Amino acid sequence: MADILDGKALADRIKQRVKKEVVSLQKNGIDVGLGLLLVGDNPASVQYFNTTLGACRRVGITAHEFRLPDTVSLNELLNGIHAINHDERIHGLLMLMPLPARINARRVINTLVPEKDIDGLGSISVGRLSADESTIQIIRQEGTNTPSRHALTPAVWSFLPCTPFGVIRLLEHYKVPIRGRHAVIIGKSLAVGKPLAMMFLAKEATVTICHRETRDLGSMTRQADILCSATGKAGLIRGDMVKRGAVVVDVGINMLQDGTMTGDVDFGSVIKKASLITPVPGGVGPVTVAMLLENTVRSAKRSDMPPPSTMHK
Ligand code: NAD
């Protein structure tokens, strides 16, 4: 029977630390600010928006809310992002996805300067993660300041995407060995699967990425020492698809017809095979929000430093 990877407990620890840092920045004249941009009223986005607002309030981060109708034009949206780029009160922006289908989301995401791209979705942030220029954040262990040869590279201005960053933090917190282990990831999105694969590679795991066209998914998942599922398909991962003793991380969020929330993993059968498992809710979700707050503070800490060359072009 698996033990639980308690994301809520880790998130509370991270938020306590963030709260202290917010207070100390305030003493130095820096009021930490997070922008939240919501277009339309997608229920999942509204829920994430409200959860993040509440979390900001609890740690003392000032939330700057931008709620736009789904009729907003691309020009208006881009002008809004340009204004945020130059707004010194805002240290990072959370853009709730998806944007309306007629809007080119990549165009909007890439208009945000990397210094405020605290969810690491822009092409520059993605490139820096892929080039191992921003992975100092996951190579350095939680709560320590071990210097690294990467520490002084200019790319420390980049941020890691919050959900996969949270997965790595959760595994580190529970001292799950990663180096040399086989991590199998299901899902290849830019928000979760792909950056998570890059982070596992940076930590020298052997990585397999699966997706909806993968043949015989079970033959892949049964090889995993660490199995991460991020598909949004309830019940996709059953006990017979998991190697005994594997660590199972369920990133998926699915709302069932009775209103309950569940992940991708059939918890009842998988808990009997795994050694560690995340619950849904209470696993990856709370850590994602905590990482967003941590990234915002990290950005604010840099706000009194000289801007890098990519800023104010
Ligand atoms: P997405 O729709 O962009 O990507 C889903 C991925 O799953 C795709 O790569 C697809 O190929 C793969 N997939 C779909 N069906 C599959 C199948 N039957 N077998 C194998 N692979 C399959 O979604 P996303 O943004 O990456 O999010 C994935 C899930 O994670 C969703 O449930 C989302 O709500 C959840 N999520 C949770 C958090 C959190 O904080 N816990 C954050 C972001 C996303």
Side-chain angles (χ1 to χ4, degrees):
M1 202 70 144
D3 286 330
I4 299 294
L5 293 164
D6 186 346
K8 169 91 175 52
L10 174 60
D12 288 345
R13 272 173 65 126
I14 295 169
K15 283 192 267 186
Q16 274 170 20
R17 203 168 53 230
V18 165
K19 197 172 177 175
K20 281 188 196 146
E21 291 188 286
V22 169
V23 171
S24 106
L25 281 162
Q26 267 161 356
K27 284 182 186 150
N28 292 317
I30 298 167
D31 186 13
V32 184
L34 172 66
L36 294 111
L37 174 64
L38 176 67
V39 181
D41 57 1
N42 175 295
S45 299
V46 172
Q47 195 187 359
Y48 189 32
F49 188 94
N50 291 334
T51 303
T52 310
L53 265 185
C56 284
R57 223 169 275 136
R58 278 189 289 280
V59 299
I61 291 178
T62 304
H64 300 266
E65 296 177 46
F66 303 91
R67 294 172 191 257
L68 301 172
D70 59 10
T71 52
V72 69
S73 70
L74 177 63
N75 292 356
E76 280 176 278
L77 204 42
L78 295 179
N79 275 343
I81 304 286
H82 285 304
I84 289 166
N85 283 344
H86 290 279
D87 190 331
E88 297 291 346
R89 300 167 307 162
I90 298 176
H91 298 105
L93 180 69
L94 171 66
M95 260 188 255
L96 278 299
M97 294 291 154
L99 295 178
R102 67 194 162 71
I103 301 274
N104 179 345
R106 292 304 302 164
R107 172 93 164 83
V108 179
I109 289 167
N110 282 325
T111 299
L112 184 68
V113 288
E115 296 77 16
K116 298 194 182 190
D117 180 19
I118 48 157
D119 212 5
L121 291 176
S123 300
I124 290 179
S125 308
V126 173
R128 285 177 179 168
L129 165 58
S130 305
D132 255 348
E133 292 172 8
S134 53
T135 44
I136 169 69
Q137 296 163 79
I138 54 169
I139 300 303
R140 190 164 53 199
Q141 290 293 308
E142 188 196 351
T144 70
N145 275 310
T146 315
S148 152
R149 67 193 167 85
H150 297 305
L152 297 174
T153 61
V156 293
W157 286 89
S158 281
F159 297 95
L160 296 175
C162 298
T163 301
F165 191 8
V167 170
I168 298 291
R169 272 296 180 78
L170 198 51
L171 295 174
E172 283 178 344
H173 180 67
Y174 281 92
K175 303 199 169 18
V176 173
I178 295 177
R179 181 178 299 160
R181 303 301 152 108
H182 190 176
V184 176
I185 300 162
I186 313 167
K188 63 173 181 69
S189 73
L190 205 50
V192 189
K194 219 181 271 183
L196 183 55
M198 290 297 167
M199 292 180 203
F200 274 124
L201 281 177
K203 293 181 82 67
E204 298 188 313
T206 299
V207 180
T208 300
I209 308 176
C210 305
H211 47 79
R212 59 166 61 85
E213 298 298 336
T214 299
R215 313 265 166 89
D216 192 3
L217 189 62
S219 70
M220 302 288 171
T221 58
R222 277 187 289 275
Q223 296 176 38
D225 299 310
I226 302 170
L227 177 61
C228 302
S229 185
T231 69
K233 301 283 170 227
L236 180 69
I237 307 301
R238 303 177 311 269
D240 64 314
M241 296 167 74
V242 175
K243 180 166 80 175
R244 189 161 293 285
V247 175
V248 178
V249 178
D250 191 352
V251 182
I253 298 175
N254 307 286
M255 299 310 294
L256 300 181
Q257 283 195 330
D258 63 4
T260 53
M261 185 194 282
T262 182
D264 294 350
V265 172
D266 174 30
F267 195 81
S269 62
V270 174
I271 197 172
K272 292 179 192 149
K273 296 284 285 292
S275 59
L276 286 165
I277 187 169
T278 55
V280 177
V284 176
V287 188
T288 294
V289 177
M291 298 322 296
L292 187 78
L293 303 175
E294 187 181 289
N295 275 354
T296 307
V297 165
R298 197 167 153 260
S299 177
K301 277 186 191 165
R302 302 242 165 77
S303 63
D304 59 350
M305 289 167 70
S309 55
T310 49
M311 190 78 174
H312 304 307
K313 269 188 179 163

